Amino acid sequence: MDIKPINAAQNYAAARPATEPNAGQGDVGGAAKGLARDFAATLQDAEVTAKAAMSGEADPHALVQALAQTELAVETAVTVRDKVVEAYQEILRMPV
């Protein structure tokens, strides 16, 4: 196998953009806002489906599916909250 320095440099230059951070992905606040909006929308959809099921306008399958999605969303939110609290407590334990 013949590896020349110029080929190695060209291959490195071609692969370099794949390892650089993307400027659009650094917006943590916007991502968190979008997740909160999605979470609220999931809860609202489940509430609408539950009200429709109580009045007989929705089938039980749709209600069960909406409740399962809501349960998953709440469990995910609780897990994220626990991780954030754990990270905060770890920061508090750090020596200054």
Side-chain angles (χ1 to χ4, degrees):
M1 186 165 154
D2 187 23
I3 300 177
K4 297 183 178 169
I6 191 73
N7 288 342
Q10 288 173 346
N11 289 338
Y12 176 75
R16 177 82 188 218
T19 60
E20 292 177 355
N22 190 351
Q25 294 178 349
D27 188 18
V28 176
K33 192 184 305 183
L35 289 173
R37 246 187 260 125
D38 291 345
F39 178 73
T42 300
L43 294 180
Q44 193 173 27
D45 291 344
E47 185 177 350
V48 168
T49 304
K51 286 180 182 177
M54 284 186 235
S55 63
E57 298 171 5
D59 61 333
H61 178 71
L63 177 63
V64 170
Q65 185 177 5
L67 291 177
Q69 287 177 347
T70 302
E71 182 181 11
L72 181 63
V74 169
E75 287 176 1
T76 303
V78 167
T79 302
V80 169
R81 183 211 54 196
D82 291 344
K83 292 290 183 180
V84 168
V85 168
E86 182 180 329
Y88 179 72
Q89 289 174 344
E90 189 67 28
I91 289 171
L92 288 178
R93 280 188 235 126
M94 294 173 108
V96 178

